[in-house]
Amino acid sequence: MQAAEVGGLSGGSMADPLLEAKDLAKHYGSVEALRGASFTAFEGEVVSLIGDNGAGKSTLVKCLSGVQRPDSGTLVFGGREVVLDSPVAARALGIETVFQDLAVAPDLDPAANLYLGRELRKPGVLGMLGVLDKKEMRRRAIASFEDLGVTLQSIDVPIGSLSGGQRQSVAVARSVVWASRLVFMDEPTAALGVVQRERVLDVIRRVRDQGMAVVLISHNMPEVLAVSDRVEVLRLGRRVAKFRAADTTVEELVGAMTGALSQEDA
Amino acid sequence: MTTPQRKPLLQRLAGTNTLWIALVLLLLIAVFGALRPDAVLTVFTLQTTLVETAVLLVLAVGMTFVIITSGIDLSVGSVLVFSGVTSAMTMNALSGGDATNAGWGVVAVGLLVALVSGAAWGLLNGVLIAKAKIPALIVTLGSFGAALGAGQLISNGSNVSGVPNVLSNNLGTGTTFGVPNLVILAAVITAAGALLLGTTRFGRHTYAIGSNEEAARRVGISVTRHLMTVYLLAGVLAGLAGFMATAYFRVASITGHDTDNLNAIAGVVLGGTSLFGGAGSIVGTIFGVFIPAVLRKGFVIVGVNVYWQPIAVAIVLVAAVWFDQSRRKARDQR
């Protein structure tokens, strides 16, 4: 395999990146999860972040979504250097995350989950007392689910009683409804059936077409190639390769992940 | 693509534990009523049952919030005793040792002291549970012992008498249009609790934290502060319950509240609130609190040995939790 030819993007040929992380490092005790990892995402693209188990994907996403702070390194978002010290700070910038472990409240219904932490309140005095506008939230939630092609038979059952695919769809919908610039999706299709997986991928494409950046973390190489515009590869806490999805193959991606192949300046 | 529909109201109701527990309560009343219609279905029986349950109901309202966050509060009975003692002793101190003939001003200070005493224990519980992350069972087991001990220390281990007559005659045993004032107060507290839990953002976050604490944290809900507020609320309500009990019994009693915590928990759980958190309601708690009370009253009137009551309650309680558990298991297997 010739690394130079499969080569990533030549810099400068694209617009400025929406998100650029440089030389991020993160330790957990003596474990170095990230050793100078870099990452780039552009508006209107799906970029996949791949790597073997323990390569640092989840840690990188946590650092980029404000769940954890890197020990060192810089983060540039929309042309400005930013510090993400909490998920709230990331959200204020229009960054949302779909977590691998499905952070939904299983006892609440889909509308309540969609609006969790952002509940709409009734107008006037009742709203000031904290009274929720459940009807309006339900109405808007139904509209949002419809927009994203999420099919639910019932809007008022606890989300825990839905199938895994539907639950996942709601989790994905919650992030993309609120995101305005960038969405991280950590294994959004893990443990889904074929049909449900296609549906989530459709949602991802739709979000991209709205002009947002989507960062997909996945172990499923055919899926990565099917949905991504670009792929960045992480190994041992460092970015080792960048590819255009259209110009690469599963073999090359696996080669980069395992260290059989590497790009000098990635 | 189909637009998701709301299920009809009746179907939504049928899916809840609350409906079933309400039917159990109605069934109990019907059975006792059929056995002794002359003694059971009277205004007097209704009044005494309501009065005897009012204080417990106030404790159970706070407990409902706590259990929905998947927590527990074993300290409520002891906090009730502590608050009653501090309140009664403050009223006595303000009246030169005996507050029996004191006025409303002294009573108001007494109420404030009871609420603040309850709030202090609630806040202590909340800080240890939410900030120090010590399991709620251990923290409140500790304050269960400590609050009772502190109450006994302050009162020298004896009941505190000298409760103002204006307090006992009005809040304790007075009635308004035939309804005991104690019951009215409990009803107001319960209604406020039901609205807070069912219609506000505070209530929604309470459910969310109990359902998935991590998910709540990630969407930006301040979980630590919310949990502290919930335990504070339970403490304040225990303080109020202490004041109510003092008014009713005309004495701040040291004894007789050892199992208030368990009775409140039983009522909440019977009412369909899940010990695993995330689900439950104040309306359910009302039914749940009255089931043991109706059983006790019914057994006395019908002439069944009253010692059967705790056994009957235990059976219903275990059945209710088993029902809840198997329903959750069925749901989570999907």
Side-chain angles (χ1 to χ4, degrees), chain A residues 91 99 101 104 106-107 119 130 132 134 138 146 152-153 156 161 167, chain B residues 3-6 12 198-201 205 211-212 218-219 328 334:
Chain A
R91 237 171 284 143
F99 292 100
D101 52 358
V104 294
D107 298 281
E119 291 82 1
L132 301 173
K134 294 185 186 175
R138 194 177 304 124
E146 213 153 287
L152 305 167
Q153 303 91 335
D156 50 22
S161 66
R167 232 176 306 174
Chain B
T3 303
Q5 298 294 320
R6 298 209 74 187
R12 269 183 281 149
T199 69
T200 70
R201 193 161 65 162
H205 289 180
S211 188
N212 186 344
R218 284 192 196 160
V219 296
R328 275 179 177 247
R334 286 197 63 179

PDB file of all heavy atoms in Angstrom, chain A residues 91 99 101 104 106-107 119 130 132 134 138 146 152-153 156 161 167, chain B residues 3-6 12 198-201 205 211-212 218-219 328 334:
ATOM      1  N   ARG A  91     -22.446  23.326  24.064  1.00  0.00           N
ATOM      2  CA  ARG A  91     -23.787  23.503  23.509  1.00  0.00           C
ATOM      3  C   ARG A  91     -24.040  24.951  23.114  1.00  0.00           C
ATOM      4  O   ARG A  91     -24.709  25.228  22.130  1.00  0.00           O
ATOM      5  CB  ARG A  91     -24.821  23.055  24.536  1.00  0.00           C
ATOM      6  CG  ARG A  91     -25.710  21.978  23.977  1.00  0.00           C
ATOM      7  CD  ARG A  91     -26.560  21.388  25.035  1.00  0.00           C
ATOM      8  NE  ARG A  91     -25.796  20.493  25.858  1.00  0.00           N
ATOM      9  CZ  ARG A  91     -25.960  20.355  27.158  1.00  0.00           C
ATOM     10  NH1 ARG A  91     -26.843  21.081  27.785  1.00  0.00           N
ATOM     11  NH2 ARG A  91     -25.231  19.515  27.826  1.00  0.00           N
ATOM     12  N   PHE A  99     -24.231  10.282  22.697  1.00  0.00           N
ATOM     13  CA  PHE A  99     -23.266   9.447  23.394  1.00  0.00           C
ATOM     14  C   PHE A  99     -23.507   7.976  23.100  1.00  0.00           C
ATOM     15  O   PHE A  99     -24.619   7.541  22.829  1.00  0.00           O
ATOM     16  CB  PHE A  99     -23.336   9.693  24.899  1.00  0.00           C
ATOM     17  CG  PHE A  99     -22.868  11.057  25.289  1.00  0.00           C
ATOM     18  CD1 PHE A  99     -23.783  12.069  25.548  1.00  0.00           C
ATOM     19  CD2 PHE A  99     -21.520  11.347  25.367  1.00  0.00           C
ATOM     20  CE1 PHE A  99     -23.364  13.338  25.890  1.00  0.00           C
ATOM     21  CE2 PHE A  99     -21.094  12.607  25.708  1.00  0.00           C
ATOM     22  CZ  PHE A  99     -22.011  13.605  25.977  1.00  0.00           C
ATOM     23  N   ASP A 101     -23.464   5.541  25.089  1.00  0.00           N
ATOM     24  CA  ASP A 101     -24.302   4.828  26.049  1.00  0.00           C
ATOM     25  C   ASP A 101     -25.690   5.448  26.140  1.00  0.00           C
ATOM     26  O   ASP A 101     -26.359   5.325  27.145  1.00  0.00           O
ATOM     27  CB  ASP A 101     -23.636   4.805  27.420  1.00  0.00           C
ATOM     28  CG  ASP A 101     -23.217   6.192  27.872  1.00  0.00           C
ATOM     29  OD1 ASP A 101     -23.413   7.150  27.094  1.00  0.00           O
ATOM     30  OD2 ASP A 101     -22.700   6.336  28.988  1.00  0.00           O
ATOM     31  N   VAL A 104     -30.356   8.820  27.561  1.00  0.00           N
ATOM     32  CA  VAL A 104     -31.755   9.237  27.633  1.00  0.00           C
ATOM     33  C   VAL A 104     -32.326   8.816  28.981  1.00  0.00           C
ATOM     34  O   VAL A 104     -31.772   7.964  29.656  1.00  0.00           O
ATOM     35  CB  VAL A 104     -32.610   8.612  26.505  1.00  0.00           C
ATOM     36  CG1 VAL A 104     -32.185   9.142  25.153  1.00  0.00           C
ATOM     37  CG2 VAL A 104     -32.527   7.103  26.539  1.00  0.00           C
ATOM     38  N   PRO A 106     -35.017   6.764  30.511  1.00  0.00           N
ATOM     39  CA  PRO A 106     -35.941   5.743  29.992  1.00  0.00           C
ATOM     40  C   PRO A 106     -37.369   5.879  30.509  1.00  0.00           C
ATOM     41  O   PRO A 106     -38.288   5.395  29.858  1.00  0.00           O
ATOM     42  CB  PRO A 106     -35.315   4.419  30.443  1.00  0.00           C
ATOM     43  CG  PRO A 106     -34.340   4.781  31.504  1.00  0.00           C
ATOM     44  CD  PRO A 106     -33.887   6.167  31.227  1.00  0.00           C
ATOM     45  N   ASP A 107     -37.556   6.547  31.645  1.00  0.00           N
ATOM     46  CA  ASP A 107     -38.914   6.643  32.197  1.00  0.00           C
ATOM     47  C   ASP A 107     -39.703   7.814  31.627  1.00  0.00           C
ATOM     48  O   ASP A 107     -40.894   7.929  31.866  1.00  0.00           O
ATOM     49  CB  ASP A 107     -38.857   6.781  33.723  1.00  0.00           C
ATOM     50  CG  ASP A 107     -38.220   5.573  34.358  1.00  0.00           C
ATOM     51  OD1 ASP A 107     -38.901   4.566  34.491  1.00  0.00           O
ATOM     52  OD2 ASP A 107     -37.017   5.627  34.671  1.00  0.00           O
ATOM     53  N   GLU A 119     -36.634  22.636  28.751  1.00  0.00           N
ATOM     54  CA  GLU A 119     -38.083  22.583  28.778  1.00  0.00           C
ATOM     55  C   GLU A 119     -38.697  23.933  28.430  1.00  0.00           C
ATOM     56  O   GLU A 119     -38.191  24.988  28.826  1.00  0.00           O
ATOM     57  CB  GLU A 119     -38.574  22.157  30.170  1.00  0.00           C
ATOM     58  CG  GLU A 119     -38.268  20.713  30.522  1.00  0.00           C
ATOM     59  CD  GLU A 119     -36.860  20.511  31.042  1.00  0.00           C
ATOM     60  OE1 GLU A 119     -36.112  21.502  31.141  1.00  0.00           O
ATOM     61  OE2 GLU A 119     -36.509  19.358  31.345  1.00  0.00           O
ATOM     62  N   GLY A 130     -42.432  28.135  36.820  1.00  0.00           N
ATOM     63  CA  GLY A 130     -41.793  26.912  36.363  1.00  0.00           C
ATOM     64  C   GLY A 130     -42.740  25.902  35.754  1.00  0.00           C
ATOM     65  O   GLY A 130     -42.381  24.747  35.551  1.00  0.00           O
ATOM     66  N   LEU A 132     -44.578  23.824  33.074  1.00  0.00           N
ATOM     67  CA  LEU A 132     -44.177  23.408  31.736  1.00  0.00           C
ATOM     68  C   LEU A 132     -45.315  23.562  30.741  1.00  0.00           C
ATOM     69  O   LEU A 132     -46.485  23.377  31.082  1.00  0.00           O
ATOM     70  CB  LEU A 132     -43.756  21.938  31.752  1.00  0.00           C
ATOM     71  CG  LEU A 132     -42.600  21.563  32.663  1.00  0.00           C
ATOM     72  CD1 LEU A 132     -42.438  20.051  32.682  1.00  0.00           C
ATOM     73  CD2 LEU A 132     -41.325  22.230  32.211  1.00  0.00           C
ATOM     74  N   LYS A 134     -46.454  21.510  28.292  1.00  0.00           N
ATOM     75  CA  LYS A 134     -46.283  20.146  27.768  1.00  0.00           C
ATOM     76  C   LYS A 134     -46.887  19.990  26.378  1.00  0.00           C
ATOM     77  O   LYS A 134     -46.351  19.284  25.538  1.00  0.00           O
ATOM     78  CB  LYS A 134     -46.948  19.141  28.716  1.00  0.00           C
ATOM     79  CG  LYS A 134     -46.270  19.057  30.063  1.00  0.00           C
ATOM     80  CD  LYS A 134     -46.892  17.961  30.906  1.00  0.00           C
ATOM     81  CE  LYS A 134     -46.301  17.971  32.308  1.00  0.00           C
ATOM     82  NZ  LYS A 134     -46.946  17.015  33.192  1.00  0.00           N
ATOM     83  N   ARG A 138     -44.921  18.793  23.071  1.00  0.00           N
ATOM     84  CA  ARG A 138     -45.335  17.581  22.374  1.00  0.00           C
ATOM     85  C   ARG A 138     -45.546  17.894  20.884  1.00  0.00           C
ATOM     86  O   ARG A 138     -45.108  17.158  20.016  1.00  0.00           O
ATOM     87  CB  ARG A 138     -46.628  17.045  22.998  1.00  0.00           C
ATOM     88  CG  ARG A 138     -46.955  15.629  22.570  1.00  0.00           C
ATOM     89  CD  ARG A 138     -48.186  15.117  23.264  1.00  0.00           C
ATOM     90  NE  ARG A 138     -48.084  15.187  24.715  1.00  0.00           N
ATOM     91  CZ  ARG A 138     -48.958  15.814  25.487  1.00  0.00           C
ATOM     92  NH1 ARG A 138     -50.010  16.408  24.976  1.00  0.00           N
ATOM     93  NH2 ARG A 138     -48.787  15.826  26.795  1.00  0.00           N
ATOM     94  N   GLU A 146     -40.903  14.108  12.798  1.00  0.00           N
ATOM     95  CA  GLU A 146     -41.348  13.946  11.415  1.00  0.00           C
ATOM     96  C   GLU A 146     -40.279  14.461  10.447  1.00  0.00           C
ATOM     97  O   GLU A 146     -39.947  13.809   9.467  1.00  0.00           O
ATOM     98  CB  GLU A 146     -42.665  14.698  11.217  1.00  0.00           C
ATOM     99  CG  GLU A 146     -43.589  14.041  10.224  1.00  0.00           C
ATOM    100  CD  GLU A 146     -45.028  14.390  10.553  1.00  0.00           C
ATOM    101  OE1 GLU A 146     -45.565  13.858  11.544  1.00  0.00           O
ATOM    102  OE2 GLU A 146     -45.593  15.204   9.811  1.00  0.00           O
ATOM    103  N   LEU A 152     -42.416   6.883  15.330  1.00  0.00           N
ATOM    104  CA  LEU A 152     -42.821   6.383  16.644  1.00  0.00           C
ATOM    105  C   LEU A 152     -44.316   6.124  16.584  1.00  0.00           C
ATOM    106  O   LEU A 152     -45.053   6.920  16.024  1.00  0.00           O
ATOM    107  CB  LEU A 152     -42.536   7.420  17.736  1.00  0.00           C
ATOM    108  CG  LEU A 152     -41.109   7.952  17.844  1.00  0.00           C
ATOM    109  CD1 LEU A 152     -41.071   9.175  18.747  1.00  0.00           C
ATOM    110  CD2 LEU A 152     -40.195   6.887  18.394  1.00  0.00           C
ATOM    111  N   GLN A 153     -44.754   4.999  17.170  1.00  0.00           N
ATOM    112  CA  GLN A 153     -46.190   4.737  17.141  1.00  0.00           C
ATOM    113  C   GLN A 153     -46.909   5.610  18.145  1.00  0.00           C
ATOM    114  O   GLN A 153     -48.044   6.006  17.955  1.00  0.00           O
ATOM    115  CB  GLN A 153     -46.532   3.279  17.499  1.00  0.00           C
ATOM    116  CG  GLN A 153     -45.881   2.242  16.641  1.00  0.00           C
ATOM    117  CD  GLN A 153     -44.551   1.823  17.247  1.00  0.00           C
ATOM    118  OE1 GLN A 153     -43.944   2.598  17.985  1.00  0.00           O
ATOM    119  NE2 GLN A 153     -44.104   0.628  16.930  1.00  0.00           N
ATOM    120  N   ASP A 156     -46.528   9.160  23.913  1.00  0.00           N
ATOM    121  CA  ASP A 156     -46.569   9.315  25.377  1.00  0.00           C
ATOM    122  C   ASP A 156     -46.276   8.033  26.139  1.00  0.00           C
ATOM    123  O   ASP A 156     -46.785   7.828  27.230  1.00  0.00           O
ATOM    124  CB  ASP A 156     -47.904   9.928  25.821  1.00  0.00           C
ATOM    125  CG  ASP A 156     -49.069   9.212  25.225  1.00  0.00           C
ATOM    126  OD1 ASP A 156     -48.888   8.047  24.834  1.00  0.00           O
ATOM    127  OD2 ASP A 156     -50.153   9.777  25.128  1.00  0.00           O
ATOM    128  N   SER A 161     -39.716   1.792  26.874  1.00  0.00           N
ATOM    129  CA  SER A 161     -40.555   0.736  26.332  1.00  0.00           C
ATOM    130  C   SER A 161     -40.488   0.703  24.802  1.00  0.00           C
ATOM    131  O   SER A 161     -41.140  -0.105  24.165  1.00  0.00           O
ATOM    132  CB  SER A 161     -41.999   0.919  26.788  1.00  0.00           C
ATOM    133  OG  SER A 161     -42.524   2.089  26.218  1.00  0.00           O
ATOM    134  N   ARG A 167     -35.283   4.146  20.361  1.00  0.00           N
ATOM    135  CA  ARG A 167     -34.635   4.882  21.444  1.00  0.00           C
ATOM    136  C   ARG A 167     -33.424   5.645  20.888  1.00  0.00           C
ATOM    137  O   ARG A 167     -33.213   6.813  21.179  1.00  0.00           O
ATOM    138  CB  ARG A 167     -34.158   3.889  22.504  1.00  0.00           C
ATOM    139  CG  ARG A 167     -34.611   4.241  23.881  1.00  0.00           C
ATOM    140  CD  ARG A 167     -34.195   3.190  24.867  1.00  0.00           C
ATOM    141  NE  ARG A 167     -34.635   1.848  24.467  1.00  0.00           N
ATOM    142  CZ  ARG A 167     -34.294   0.737  25.112  1.00  0.00           C
ATOM    143  NH1 ARG A 167     -33.525   0.795  26.161  1.00  0.00           N
ATOM    144  NH2 ARG A 167     -34.732  -0.436  24.694  1.00  0.00           N
TER     145      ARG A 167
ATOM    146  N   THR B   3     -47.782   9.792  11.850  1.00  0.00           N
ATOM    147  CA  THR B   3     -47.549  10.718  12.947  1.00  0.00           C
ATOM    148  C   THR B   3     -47.859   9.991  14.251  1.00  0.00           C
ATOM    149  O   THR B   3     -48.887   9.329  14.351  1.00  0.00           O
ATOM    150  CB  THR B   3     -48.490  11.929  12.819  1.00  0.00           C
ATOM    151  OG1 THR B   3     -48.266  12.515  11.557  1.00  0.00           O
ATOM    152  CG2 THR B   3     -48.219  12.934  13.917  1.00  0.00           C
ATOM    153  N   PRO B   4     -46.946  10.079  15.234  1.00  0.00           N
ATOM    154  CA  PRO B   4     -47.238   9.383  16.490  1.00  0.00           C
ATOM    155  C   PRO B   4     -48.504   9.926  17.151  1.00  0.00           C
ATOM    156  O   PRO B   4     -48.740  11.129  17.168  1.00  0.00           O
ATOM    157  CB  PRO B   4     -46.005   9.658  17.335  1.00  0.00           C
ATOM    158  CG  PRO B   4     -45.304  10.790  16.676  1.00  0.00           C
ATOM    159  CD  PRO B   4     -45.672  10.767  15.243  1.00  0.00           C
ATOM    160  N   GLN B   5     -49.292   9.037  17.680  1.00  0.00           N
ATOM    161  CA  GLN B   5     -50.563   9.434  18.293  1.00  0.00           C
ATOM    162  C   GLN B   5     -50.474   9.353  19.803  1.00  0.00           C
ATOM    163  O   GLN B   5     -49.697   8.594  20.351  1.00  0.00           O
ATOM    164  CB  GLN B   5     -51.672   8.473  17.819  1.00  0.00           C
ATOM    165  CG  GLN B   5     -51.898   8.503  16.326  1.00  0.00           C
ATOM    166  CD  GLN B   5     -52.433   9.832  15.866  1.00  0.00           C
ATOM    167  OE1 GLN B   5     -53.269  10.428  16.511  1.00  0.00           O
ATOM    168  NE2 GLN B   5     -51.933  10.324  14.741  1.00  0.00           N
ATOM    169  N   ARG B   6     -51.313  10.138  20.443  1.00  0.00           N
ATOM    170  CA  ARG B   6     -51.492   9.959  21.886  1.00  0.00           C
ATOM    171  C   ARG B   6     -52.494   8.837  22.083  1.00  0.00           C
ATOM    172  O   ARG B   6     -53.468   8.727  21.353  1.00  0.00           O
ATOM    173  CB  ARG B   6     -52.069  11.233  22.522  1.00  0.00           C
ATOM    174  CG  ARG B   6     -51.198  12.434  22.386  1.00  0.00           C
ATOM    175  CD  ARG B   6     -51.431  13.357  23.550  1.00  0.00           C
ATOM    176  NE  ARG B   6     -50.804  12.804  24.724  1.00  0.00           N
ATOM    177  CZ  ARG B   6     -50.956  13.322  25.943  1.00  0.00           C
ATOM    178  NH1 ARG B   6     -51.722  14.343  26.134  1.00  0.00           N
ATOM    179  NH2 ARG B   6     -50.334  12.804  26.972  1.00  0.00           N
ATOM    180  N   ARG B  12     -54.173   5.201  28.746  1.00  0.00           N
ATOM    181  CA  ARG B  12     -52.988   5.685  29.451  1.00  0.00           C
ATOM    182  C   ARG B  12     -53.115   5.410  30.941  1.00  0.00           C
ATOM    183  O   ARG B  12     -52.168   5.017  31.592  1.00  0.00           O
ATOM    184  CB  ARG B  12     -52.812   7.191  29.203  1.00  0.00           C
ATOM    185  CG  ARG B  12     -51.950   7.491  27.989  1.00  0.00           C
ATOM    186  CD  ARG B  12     -51.746   8.975  27.822  1.00  0.00           C
ATOM    187  NE  ARG B  12     -52.897   9.613  27.227  1.00  0.00           N
ATOM    188  CZ  ARG B  12     -53.263  10.867  27.479  1.00  0.00           C
ATOM    189  NH1 ARG B  12     -52.601  11.595  28.331  1.00  0.00           N
ATOM    190  NH2 ARG B  12     -54.312  11.386  26.887  1.00  0.00           N
ATOM    191  N   GLY B 198     -45.883  17.367  39.132  1.00  0.00           N
ATOM    192  CA  GLY B 198     -46.522  16.993  37.870  1.00  0.00           C
ATOM    193  C   GLY B 198     -46.473  18.029  36.771  1.00  0.00           C
ATOM    194  O   GLY B 198     -46.558  17.678  35.594  1.00  0.00           O
ATOM    195  N   THR B 199     -46.339  19.304  37.139  1.00  0.00           N
ATOM    196  CA  THR B 199     -46.481  20.312  36.088  1.00  0.00           C
ATOM    197  C   THR B 199     -45.260  21.209  35.899  1.00  0.00           C
ATOM    198  O   THR B 199     -45.207  21.949  34.932  1.00  0.00           O
ATOM    199  CB  THR B 199     -47.681  21.241  36.361  1.00  0.00           C
ATOM    200  OG1 THR B 199     -47.373  22.039  37.504  1.00  0.00           O
ATOM    201  CG2 THR B 199     -48.954  20.462  36.620  1.00  0.00           C
ATOM    202  N   THR B 200     -44.284  21.153  36.802  1.00  0.00           N
ATOM    203  CA  THR B 200     -43.198  22.133  36.696  1.00  0.00           C
ATOM    204  C   THR B 200     -41.897  21.503  36.213  1.00  0.00           C
ATOM    205  O   THR B 200     -41.745  20.287  36.184  1.00  0.00           O
ATOM    206  CB  THR B 200     -42.902  22.808  38.057  1.00  0.00           C
ATOM    207  OG1 THR B 200     -42.307  21.826  38.908  1.00  0.00           O
ATOM    208  CG2 THR B 200     -44.166  23.349  38.685  1.00  0.00           C
ATOM    209  N   ARG B 201     -40.986  22.401  35.876  1.00  0.00           N
ATOM    210  CA  ARG B 201     -39.665  21.964  35.450  1.00  0.00           C
ATOM    211  C   ARG B 201     -38.935  21.251  36.592  1.00  0.00           C
ATOM    212  O   ARG B 201     -38.211  20.290  36.372  1.00  0.00           O
ATOM    213  CB  ARG B 201     -38.861  23.185  34.999  1.00  0.00           C
ATOM    214  CG  ARG B 201     -37.621  22.796  34.270  1.00  0.00           C
ATOM    215  CD  ARG B 201     -37.107  23.930  33.465  1.00  0.00           C
ATOM    216  NE  ARG B 201     -36.693  25.031  34.304  1.00  0.00           N
ATOM    217  CZ  ARG B 201     -35.882  26.006  33.883  1.00  0.00           C
ATOM    218  NH1 ARG B 201     -35.458  26.004  32.643  1.00  0.00           N
ATOM    219  NH2 ARG B 201     -35.527  26.971  34.687  1.00  0.00           N
ATOM    220  N   HIS B 205     -37.382  17.547  36.215  1.00  0.00           N
ATOM    221  CA  HIS B 205     -35.980  17.229  36.479  1.00  0.00           C
ATOM    222  C   HIS B 205     -35.851  16.168  37.570  1.00  0.00           C
ATOM    223  O   HIS B 205     -34.926  15.374  37.562  1.00  0.00           O
ATOM    224  CB  HIS B 205     -35.217  18.498  36.859  1.00  0.00           C
ATOM    225  CG  HIS B 205     -35.022  19.436  35.701  1.00  0.00           C
ATOM    226  ND1 HIS B 205     -34.371  20.629  35.793  1.00  0.00           N
ATOM    227  CD2 HIS B 205     -35.403  19.316  34.402  1.00  0.00           C
ATOM    228  CE1 HIS B 205     -34.356  21.223  34.605  1.00  0.00           C
ATOM    229  NE2 HIS B 205     -34.991  20.442  33.752  1.00  0.00           N
ATOM    230  N   SER B 211     -34.459   8.754  36.718  1.00  0.00           N
ATOM    231  CA  SER B 211     -34.487   7.825  35.589  1.00  0.00           C
ATOM    232  C   SER B 211     -33.083   7.558  35.063  1.00  0.00           C
ATOM    233  O   SER B 211     -32.727   6.418  34.782  1.00  0.00           O
ATOM    234  CB  SER B 211     -35.356   8.416  34.477  1.00  0.00           C
ATOM    235  OG  SER B 211     -35.554   7.481  33.463  1.00  0.00           O
ATOM    236  N   ASN B 212     -32.289   8.599  34.926  1.00  0.00           N
ATOM    237  CA  ASN B 212     -30.917   8.447  34.448  1.00  0.00           C
ATOM    238  C   ASN B 212     -30.131   9.687  34.852  1.00  0.00           C
ATOM    239  O   ASN B 212     -30.171  10.703  34.176  1.00  0.00           O
ATOM    240  CB  ASN B 212     -30.894   8.250  32.931  1.00  0.00           C
ATOM    241  CG  ASN B 212     -29.511   7.948  32.400  1.00  0.00           C
ATOM    242  OD1 ASN B 212     -28.511   8.155  33.087  1.00  0.00           O
ATOM    243  ND2 ASN B 212     -29.441   7.453  31.185  1.00  0.00           N
ATOM    244  N   ARG B 218     -25.734  15.374  31.707  1.00  0.00           N
ATOM    245  CA  ARG B 218     -25.198  15.719  30.389  1.00  0.00           C
ATOM    246  C   ARG B 218     -26.038  16.758  29.664  1.00  0.00           C
ATOM    247  O   ARG B 218     -25.522  17.474  28.824  1.00  0.00           O
ATOM    248  CB  ARG B 218     -25.092  14.469  29.527  1.00  0.00           C
ATOM    249  CG  ARG B 218     -23.916  13.615  29.930  1.00  0.00           C
ATOM    250  CD  ARG B 218     -23.670  12.561  28.904  1.00  0.00           C
ATOM    251  NE  ARG B 218     -22.822  11.527  29.453  1.00  0.00           N
ATOM    252  CZ  ARG B 218     -22.750  10.308  28.939  1.00  0.00           C
ATOM    253  NH1 ARG B 218     -23.490   9.991  27.898  1.00  0.00           N
ATOM    254  NH2 ARG B 218     -21.950   9.426  29.466  1.00  0.00           N
ATOM    255  N   VAL B 219     -27.339  16.825  29.953  1.00  0.00           N
ATOM    256  CA  VAL B 219     -28.124  17.868  29.296  1.00  0.00           C
ATOM    257  C   VAL B 219     -28.056  19.178  30.070  1.00  0.00           C
ATOM    258  O   VAL B 219     -28.742  20.131  29.727  1.00  0.00           O
ATOM    259  CB  VAL B 219     -29.604  17.478  29.087  1.00  0.00           C
ATOM    260  CG1 VAL B 219     -29.715  16.295  28.151  1.00  0.00           C
ATOM    261  CG2 VAL B 219     -30.301  17.217  30.401  1.00  0.00           C
ATOM    262  N   ARG B 328     -40.918  -3.547  34.765  1.00  0.00           N
ATOM    263  CA  ARG B 328     -39.698  -2.924  34.273  1.00  0.00           C
ATOM    264  C   ARG B 328     -38.838  -3.922  33.511  1.00  0.00           C
ATOM    265  O   ARG B 328     -38.252  -3.615  32.496  1.00  0.00           O
ATOM    266  CB  ARG B 328     -38.879  -2.390  35.442  1.00  0.00           C
ATOM    267  CG  ARG B 328     -39.330  -1.041  35.829  1.00  0.00           C
ATOM    268  CD  ARG B 328     -38.549  -0.504  36.981  1.00  0.00           C
ATOM    269  NE  ARG B 328     -39.058   0.835  37.175  1.00  0.00           N
ATOM    270  CZ  ARG B 328     -38.350   1.924  36.954  1.00  0.00           C
ATOM    271  NH1 ARG B 328     -37.104   1.862  36.597  1.00  0.00           N
ATOM    272  NH2 ARG B 328     -38.894   3.104  37.104  1.00  0.00           N
ATOM    273  N   ARG B 334     -36.655  -5.210  25.828  1.00  0.00           N
ATOM    274  CA  ARG B 334     -36.834  -4.892  24.414  1.00  0.00           C
ATOM    275  C   ARG B 334     -35.575  -4.344  23.792  1.00  0.00           C
ATOM    276  O   ARG B 334     -34.782  -3.716  24.453  1.00  0.00           O
ATOM    277  CB  ARG B 334     -37.965  -3.867  24.258  1.00  0.00           C
ATOM    278  CG  ARG B 334     -39.292  -4.505  24.470  1.00  0.00           C
ATOM    279  CD  ARG B 334     -40.360  -3.621  23.910  1.00  0.00           C
ATOM    280  NE  ARG B 334     -40.195  -3.462  22.462  1.00  0.00           N
ATOM    281  CZ  ARG B 334     -41.037  -2.736  21.730  1.00  0.00           C
ATOM    282  NH1 ARG B 334     -42.048  -2.147  22.272  1.00  0.00           N
ATOM    283  NH2 ARG B 334     -40.859  -2.620  20.441  1.00  0.00           N
TER     284      ARG B 334
END
